[in-house]
Amino acid sequence: MQAAVVNVIEPIFERDFAEQSYGFRPGRGCKDALRRVDTLLKPGYVHVVDAHLKGYFDSIPHDLLMTRLQEKITDGSVLKLIEQFLKTNVLDGLEEWTPAAGAPQGAVLSPLLSNVYLNRLDHLLADSG
């Protein structure tokens, strides 16, 4: 089900993702990012931002993520399905709980959702040089 959602919504968001964003993008990877860095070093750029946000997937606020999704998705059933995915109960040993934030690591949909949420930061960084 998650793969079907990705197939439907990824093209909607992909066209607006920042050009310098390479993580979890179709047709892009680490080698592409390194080639881009090499291209930028030649004309004299000297700074590279390579960020790893510890616990990022677990910290994505559901309400803000859903707001970003609603900016481009109008189909209420798709939005509800994504929200149900985010709020699926977690079983940890004998304890069950409902996450208030985060997207499950290793899930098919989570990388796309993480990029949707970070896209504004990517654009802000690019716009500031």
Side-chain angles (χ1 to χ4, degrees):
M1 182 64 82
Q2 290 181 42
V5 171
V6 168
N7 288 336
V8 170
I9 70 170
E10 187 172 57
I12 295 168
F13 289 96
E14 184 62 33
R15 65 177 161 234
D16 293 325
F17 284 156
E19 182 63 30
Q20 73 282 0
S21 172
Y22 290 89
F24 305 113
R25 303 271 308 276
R28 293 171 168 245
C30 294
K31 289 182 181 180
D32 299 306
L34 290 172
R35 279 192 281 277
R36 178 71 174 143
V37 168
D38 185 54
T39 300
L40 292 171
L41 288 173
K42 290 175 183 169
Y45 288 92
V46 294
H47 296 9
V48 174
V49 176
D50 177 17
H52 174 77
L53 305 174
K54 185 176 181 176
Y56 171 64
F57 277 82
D58 295 333
S59 67
I60 300 170
H62 291 168
D63 57 340
L64 295 175
L65 173 60
M66 292 305 298
T67 298
R68 300 237 171 101
L69 292 168
Q70 291 165 2
E71 291 170 358
K72 296 193 180 281
I73 301 172
T74 57
D75 187 327
S77 60
V78 172
L79 291 166
K80 184 175 180 177
L81 190 61
I82 294 170
E83 189 167 32
Q84 287 174 334
F85 159 72
L86 292 170
K87 297 191 180 296
T88 299
N89 286 348
V90 174
L91 185 61
D92 185 10
L94 297 176
E95 185 180 334
E96 184 177 350
W97 53 278
T98 303
Q105 288 191 32
V108 173
L109 185 55
S110 293
L112 175 59
L113 296 179
S114 74
N115 279 337
V116 167
Y117 185 70
L118 268 187
N119 189 46
R120 287 189 183 167
L121 175 63
D122 291 338
H123 282 286
L124 284 171
L125 289 171
D127 292 347
S128 68

